[in-house]
Amino acid sequence: MVYTDGGNARLLAEGGSPFPLTTSGAVEQVRISDDGQKIAYTRRPIVDQPVELRSVNPDGTGDTLLMGPADFDAQYPLGGLLHNDLSQFQFVPGTHALLLNTRGIVEGPGTALHDDLIRIDADSLSRTMLLAPGSGGIFTFSPDGRYL
């Protein structure tokens, strides 16, 4: 199990004690791959700025930036948006690949979903646009992971 505690990610293995995966703070969300060998997490080091999407190994090594604030902002023209940011992310069942979609941050309340779908391989760091803006939406996997 992975969880956040005091702004950091922790791992709790069966029969073990909580193990710190991060010490930099500002961790918001965590996800663990089916095989437990990759942990993805978001960290927002500056309030009201886009997140960093990162991955780390279960022993705390290999902390890697998958997508940073500049990557999110460069994804699409900002137009009237303050920033582009992560909306949703999840490991593809049985893999170390993450699927994610993004949103625009506006001044004031609310967000603007881009309705896109991006795949990032946490091992190779390759990034692929699967569905262009307006072609995707909020997603979830079927229980067996075969359908999205």
Side-chain angles (χ1 to χ4, degrees), residues 84-124:
N84 292 313
D85 201 8
L86 179 68
S87 179
Q88 178 184 12
F89 72 108
Q90 187 69 42
F91 276 105
V92 175
T95 74
H96 292 168
L98 289 160
L99 290 189
L100 62 100
N101 55 21
T102 62
R103 63 191 175 119
I105 298 174
V106 297
E107 189 169 341
T111 60
L113 295 177
H114 289 306
D115 289 334
D116 54 358
L117 189 64
I118 300 167
R119 179 183 189 275
I120 299 178
D121 187 297
D123 293 323
S124 70

Short mmCIF file of all heavy atoms in Angstrom, two decimals, residues 84-124:
data_model
loop_
_atom_site.label_atom_id
_atom_site.label_comp_id
_atom_site.label_asym_id
_atom_site.label_seq_id
_atom_site.Cartn_x
_atom_site.Cartn_y
_atom_site.Cartn_z
N ASN A 84 -1.69 24.84 -17.77
CA ASN A 84 -2.23 23.51 -18.02
C ASN A 84 -1.74 22.64 -16.87
O ASN A 84 -0.65 22.85 -16.34
CB ASN A 84 -1.72 22.96 -19.36
CG ASN A 84 -2.29 23.72 -20.52
OD1 ASN A 84 -3.48 23.99 -20.59
ND2 ASN A 84 -1.42 24.09 -21.46
N ASP A 85 -2.54 21.66 -16.49
CA ASP A 85 -2.23 20.87 -15.30
C ASP A 85 -2.77 19.45 -15.48
O ASP A 85 -3.58 19.18 -16.36
CB ASP A 85 -2.88 21.53 -14.07
CG ASP A 85 -2.26 21.12 -12.75
OD1 ASP A 85 -1.22 20.44 -12.75
OD2 ASP A 85 -2.82 21.50 -11.71
N LEU A 86 -2.37 18.58 -14.61
CA LEU A 86 -2.84 17.20 -14.58
C LEU A 86 -4.27 17.17 -14.06
O LEU A 86 -4.61 17.88 -13.11
CB LEU A 86 -1.93 16.39 -13.65
CG LEU A 86 -2.29 14.93 -13.48
CD1 LEU A 86 -2.06 14.16 -14.77
CD2 LEU A 86 -1.45 14.33 -12.36
N SER A 87 -5.09 16.35 -14.68
CA SER A 87 -6.44 16.15 -14.18
C SER A 87 -6.55 14.80 -13.49
O SER A 87 -6.91 14.70 -12.34
CB SER A 87 -7.46 16.24 -15.33
OG SER A 87 -8.77 16.02 -14.85
N GLN A 88 -6.18 13.73 -14.18
CA GLN A 88 -6.37 12.38 -13.70
C GLN A 88 -5.19 11.53 -14.16
O GLN A 88 -4.66 11.74 -15.25
CB GLN A 88 -7.70 11.88 -14.31
CG GLN A 88 -8.11 10.53 -14.02
CD GLN A 88 -9.40 10.16 -14.79
OE1 GLN A 88 -9.83 10.87 -15.68
NE2 GLN A 88 -9.98 9.05 -14.44
N PHE A 89 -4.77 10.55 -13.36
CA PHE A 89 -3.72 9.63 -13.78
C PHE A 89 -3.92 8.27 -13.14
O PHE A 89 -4.41 8.18 -12.02
CB PHE A 89 -2.31 10.18 -13.50
CG PHE A 89 -1.90 10.20 -12.04
CD1 PHE A 89 -0.96 9.30 -11.56
CD2 PHE A 89 -2.44 11.13 -11.16
CE1 PHE A 89 -0.57 9.33 -10.23
CE2 PHE A 89 -2.05 11.17 -9.83
CZ PHE A 89 -1.11 10.26 -9.36
N GLN A 90 -3.55 7.23 -13.88
CA GLN A 90 -3.75 5.86 -13.39
C GLN A 90 -2.80 4.94 -14.14
O GLN A 90 -2.58 5.11 -15.33
CB GLN A 90 -5.20 5.43 -13.64
CG GLN A 90 -5.58 4.11 -13.04
CD GLN A 90 -5.61 4.18 -11.53
OE1 GLN A 90 -6.09 5.13 -10.95
NE2 GLN A 90 -5.07 3.17 -10.87
N PHE A 91 -2.24 3.94 -13.45
CA PHE A 91 -1.45 2.93 -14.13
C PHE A 91 -2.37 2.06 -14.98
O PHE A 91 -3.46 1.69 -14.54
CB PHE A 91 -0.72 2.02 -13.12
CG PHE A 91 0.58 2.58 -12.65
CD1 PHE A 91 0.69 3.11 -11.38
CD2 PHE A 91 1.71 2.56 -13.46
CE1 PHE A 91 1.90 3.63 -10.92
CE2 PHE A 91 2.92 3.07 -13.01
CZ PHE A 91 3.01 3.61 -11.75
N VAL A 92 -1.91 1.72 -16.18
CA VAL A 92 -2.59 0.74 -17.00
C VAL A 92 -2.39 -0.60 -16.29
O VAL A 92 -1.24 -0.95 -15.98
CB VAL A 92 -2.02 0.69 -18.43
CG1 VAL A 92 -2.67 -0.42 -19.24
CG2 VAL A 92 -2.15 2.04 -19.12
N PRO A 93 -3.45 -1.34 -16.00
CA PRO A 93 -3.29 -2.60 -15.28
C PRO A 93 -2.27 -3.51 -15.94
O PRO A 93 -2.23 -3.67 -17.17
CB PRO A 93 -4.70 -3.21 -15.33
CG PRO A 93 -5.61 -2.01 -15.39
CD PRO A 93 -4.86 -1.03 -16.25
N GLY A 94 -1.40 -4.10 -15.12
CA GLY A 94 -0.40 -5.04 -15.59
C GLY A 94 0.82 -4.42 -16.24
O GLY A 94 1.65 -5.13 -16.81
N THR A 95 0.96 -3.08 -16.16
CA THR A 95 2.09 -2.40 -16.82
C THR A 95 2.67 -1.33 -15.89
O THR A 95 2.14 -1.07 -14.82
CB THR A 95 1.65 -1.69 -18.12
OG1 THR A 95 0.90 -0.52 -17.79
CG2 THR A 95 0.80 -2.60 -19.00
N HIS A 96 3.73 -0.70 -16.37
CA HIS A 96 4.29 0.49 -15.72
C HIS A 96 3.97 1.74 -16.52
O HIS A 96 4.63 2.77 -16.37
CB HIS A 96 5.81 0.35 -15.57
CG HIS A 96 6.20 -0.72 -14.61
ND1 HIS A 96 7.49 -1.16 -14.49
CD2 HIS A 96 5.49 -1.43 -13.71
CE1 HIS A 96 7.55 -2.11 -13.59
NE2 HIS A 96 6.34 -2.30 -13.09
N ALA A 97 2.96 1.65 -17.37
CA ALA A 97 2.51 2.80 -18.17
C ALA A 97 1.39 3.51 -17.43
O ALA A 97 0.50 2.88 -16.85
CB ALA A 97 2.04 2.35 -19.54
N LEU A 98 1.44 4.83 -17.48
CA LEU A 98 0.39 5.66 -16.89
C LEU A 98 -0.44 6.26 -18.00
O LEU A 98 0.10 6.68 -19.03
CB LEU A 98 1.01 6.81 -16.09
CG LEU A 98 1.69 6.44 -14.79
CD1 LEU A 98 2.65 7.54 -14.38
CD2 LEU A 98 0.65 6.21 -13.71
N LEU A 99 -1.74 6.32 -17.79
CA LEU A 99 -2.60 7.12 -18.65
C LEU A 99 -3.00 8.33 -17.85
O LEU A 99 -3.23 8.24 -16.63
CB LEU A 99 -3.85 6.35 -19.07
CG LEU A 99 -3.66 5.20 -20.04
CD1 LEU A 99 -5.02 4.70 -20.53
CD2 LEU A 99 -2.78 5.56 -21.22
N LEU A 100 -3.06 9.47 -18.53
CA LEU A 100 -3.44 10.69 -17.85
C LEU A 100 -4.20 11.59 -18.80
O LEU A 100 -4.15 11.43 -20.01
CB LEU A 100 -2.22 11.41 -17.28
CG LEU A 100 -1.15 11.89 -18.26
CD1 LEU A 100 -1.32 13.36 -18.56
CD2 LEU A 100 0.21 11.61 -17.68
N ASN A 101 -4.94 12.51 -18.20
CA ASN A 101 -5.54 13.58 -18.98
C ASN A 101 -5.24 14.89 -18.27
O ASN A 101 -4.75 14.90 -17.14
CB ASN A 101 -7.04 13.34 -19.23
CG ASN A 101 -7.84 13.11 -17.97
OD1 ASN A 101 -7.44 13.46 -16.88
ND2 ASN A 101 -8.99 12.48 -18.11
N THR A 102 -5.50 15.97 -18.97
CA THR A 102 -5.10 17.27 -18.46
C THR A 102 -6.27 18.25 -18.41
O THR A 102 -7.33 17.98 -18.97
CB THR A 102 -3.96 17.88 -19.31
OG1 THR A 102 -4.43 18.08 -20.64
CG2 THR A 102 -2.73 16.98 -19.32
N ARG A 103 -6.03 19.35 -17.76
CA ARG A 103 -7.04 20.40 -17.62
C ARG A 103 -6.35 21.75 -17.66
O ARG A 103 -5.15 21.86 -17.44
CB ARG A 103 -7.78 20.25 -16.30
CG ARG A 103 -6.85 20.41 -15.10
CD ARG A 103 -7.52 20.00 -13.80
NE ARG A 103 -6.56 20.06 -12.70
CZ ARG A 103 -6.68 20.85 -11.65
NH1 ARG A 103 -7.72 21.64 -11.52
NH2 ARG A 103 -5.77 20.85 -10.71
N GLY A 104 -7.12 22.77 -17.94
CA GLY A 104 -6.61 24.13 -17.89
C GLY A 104 -7.01 24.76 -16.58
O GLY A 104 -8.12 24.53 -16.08
N ILE A 105 -6.12 25.55 -16.01
CA ILE A 105 -6.41 26.28 -14.79
C ILE A 105 -6.79 27.71 -15.19
O ILE A 105 -6.03 28.39 -15.87
CB ILE A 105 -5.20 26.29 -13.83
CG1 ILE A 105 -4.86 24.86 -13.41
CG2 ILE A 105 -5.50 27.17 -12.61
CD1 ILE A 105 -3.59 24.76 -12.57
N VAL A 106 -7.95 28.11 -14.75
CA VAL A 106 -8.45 29.45 -15.05
C VAL A 106 -8.31 30.32 -13.81
O VAL A 106 -8.16 29.82 -12.70
CB VAL A 106 -9.92 29.40 -15.51
CG1 VAL A 106 -10.05 28.62 -16.80
CG2 VAL A 106 -10.81 28.81 -14.44
N GLU A 107 -8.35 31.64 -14.01
CA GLU A 107 -8.35 32.54 -12.86
C GLU A 107 -9.75 32.48 -12.25
O GLU A 107 -10.74 32.63 -12.95
CB GLU A 107 -8.02 33.96 -13.29
CG GLU A 107 -7.80 34.87 -12.10
CD GLU A 107 -7.21 36.21 -12.50
OE1 GLU A 107 -6.64 36.32 -13.61
OE2 GLU A 107 -7.32 37.13 -11.70
N GLY A 108 -9.81 32.23 -10.97
CA GLY A 108 -11.10 32.09 -10.31
C GLY A 108 -11.48 30.63 -10.17
O GLY A 108 -10.67 29.73 -10.43
N PRO A 109 -12.72 30.35 -9.81
CA PRO A 109 -13.12 28.96 -9.57
C PRO A 109 -13.27 28.18 -10.86
O PRO A 109 -13.54 28.74 -11.92
CB PRO A 109 -14.45 29.10 -8.84
CG PRO A 109 -14.99 30.42 -9.27
CD PRO A 109 -13.79 31.29 -9.51
N GLY A 110 -13.11 26.87 -10.75
CA GLY A 110 -13.33 25.98 -11.87
C GLY A 110 -12.08 25.64 -12.66
O GLY A 110 -11.02 26.22 -12.45
N THR A 111 -12.22 24.66 -13.51
CA THR A 111 -11.15 24.24 -14.42
C THR A 111 -11.77 23.94 -15.78
O THR A 111 -12.98 23.82 -15.91
CB THR A 111 -10.43 22.97 -13.91
OG1 THR A 111 -11.39 21.91 -13.81
CG2 THR A 111 -9.76 23.20 -12.57
N ALA A 112 -10.93 23.80 -16.77
CA ALA A 112 -11.37 23.49 -18.12
C ALA A 112 -10.70 22.19 -18.55
O ALA A 112 -9.50 22.17 -18.82
CB ALA A 112 -10.99 24.63 -19.07
N LEU A 113 -11.46 21.11 -18.57
CA LEU A 113 -10.90 19.82 -18.98
C LEU A 113 -10.50 19.87 -20.45
O LEU A 113 -11.24 20.39 -21.28
CB LEU A 113 -11.91 18.70 -18.74
CG LEU A 113 -12.28 18.42 -17.30
CD1 LEU A 113 -13.35 17.33 -17.23
CD2 LEU A 113 -11.07 18.02 -16.48
N HIS A 114 -9.33 19.32 -20.75
CA HIS A 114 -8.89 19.26 -22.15
C HIS A 114 -9.46 18.03 -22.86
O HIS A 114 -9.41 17.96 -24.08
CB HIS A 114 -7.36 19.25 -22.24
CG HIS A 114 -6.72 20.55 -21.90
ND1 HIS A 114 -7.06 21.74 -22.49
CD2 HIS A 114 -5.75 20.86 -20.99
CE1 HIS A 114 -6.33 22.72 -21.99
NE2 HIS A 114 -5.53 22.21 -21.07
N ASP A 115 -9.98 17.06 -22.10
CA ASP A 115 -10.55 15.84 -22.67
C ASP A 115 -9.58 15.17 -23.63
O ASP A 115 -9.92 14.79 -24.74
CB ASP A 115 -11.89 16.11 -23.35
CG ASP A 115 -12.99 16.42 -22.34
OD1 ASP A 115 -12.89 15.95 -21.19
OD2 ASP A 115 -13.94 17.12 -22.71
N ASP A 116 -8.34 15.02 -23.17
CA ASP A 116 -7.29 14.36 -23.95
C ASP A 116 -6.93 13.05 -23.27
O ASP A 116 -7.50 12.70 -22.23
CB ASP A 116 -6.06 15.27 -24.06
CG ASP A 116 -5.55 15.75 -22.70
OD1 ASP A 116 -6.16 15.43 -21.65
OD2 ASP A 116 -4.54 16.45 -22.67
N LEU A 117 -5.99 12.30 -23.82
CA LEU A 117 -5.50 11.08 -23.19
C LEU A 117 -4.04 10.90 -23.60
O LEU A 117 -3.72 10.82 -24.79
CB LEU A 117 -6.33 9.87 -23.60
CG LEU A 117 -6.03 8.58 -22.85
CD1 LEU A 117 -6.38 8.72 -21.36
CD2 LEU A 117 -6.79 7.41 -23.46
N ILE A 118 -3.16 10.85 -22.60
CA ILE A 118 -1.72 10.76 -22.81
C ILE A 118 -1.21 9.52 -22.10
O ILE A 118 -1.65 9.20 -20.99
CB ILE A 118 -1.01 12.02 -22.27
CG1 ILE A 118 -1.54 13.26 -22.99
CG2 ILE A 118 0.52 11.90 -22.39
CD1 ILE A 118 -1.16 14.58 -22.33
N ARG A 119 -0.27 8.82 -22.73
CA ARG A 119 0.36 7.63 -22.13
C ARG A 119 1.82 7.95 -21.86
O ARG A 119 2.52 8.45 -22.74
CB ARG A 119 0.27 6.45 -23.09
CG ARG A 119 0.91 5.17 -22.56
CD ARG A 119 0.83 4.07 -23.64
NE ARG A 119 1.23 2.79 -23.14
CZ ARG A 119 2.49 2.36 -23.07
NH1 ARG A 119 3.48 3.14 -23.48
NH2 ARG A 119 2.77 1.17 -22.60
N ILE A 120 2.27 7.67 -20.63
CA ILE A 120 3.68 7.83 -20.28
C ILE A 120 4.17 6.50 -19.72
O ILE A 120 3.57 5.96 -18.78
CB ILE A 120 3.90 8.93 -19.22
CG1 ILE A 120 3.45 10.28 -19.74
CG2 ILE A 120 5.38 8.98 -18.81
CD1 ILE A 120 3.59 11.41 -18.73
N ASP A 121 5.24 5.98 -20.29
CA ASP A 121 5.85 4.75 -19.79
C ASP A 121 6.82 5.13 -18.68
O ASP A 121 7.78 5.87 -18.92
CB ASP A 121 6.57 4.01 -20.91
CG ASP A 121 7.07 2.66 -20.47
OD1 ASP A 121 7.94 2.61 -19.57
OD2 ASP A 121 6.60 1.66 -21.03
N ALA A 122 6.59 4.67 -17.46
CA ALA A 122 7.43 5.04 -16.32
C ALA A 122 8.81 4.38 -16.38
O ALA A 122 9.71 4.79 -15.65
CB ALA A 122 6.73 4.67 -15.01
N ASP A 123 9.00 3.39 -17.25
CA ASP A 123 10.31 2.76 -17.40
C ASP A 123 11.14 3.48 -18.46
O ASP A 123 12.28 3.85 -18.22
CB ASP A 123 10.17 1.28 -17.77
CG ASP A 123 9.57 0.45 -16.65
OD1 ASP A 123 9.87 0.72 -15.47
OD2 ASP A 123 8.78 -0.46 -16.96
N SER A 124 10.56 3.67 -19.65
CA SER A 124 11.32 4.26 -20.76
C SER A 124 11.17 5.78 -20.85
O SER A 124 11.90 6.42 -21.58
CB SER A 124 10.86 3.65 -22.09
OG SER A 124 9.56 4.10 -22.41
#
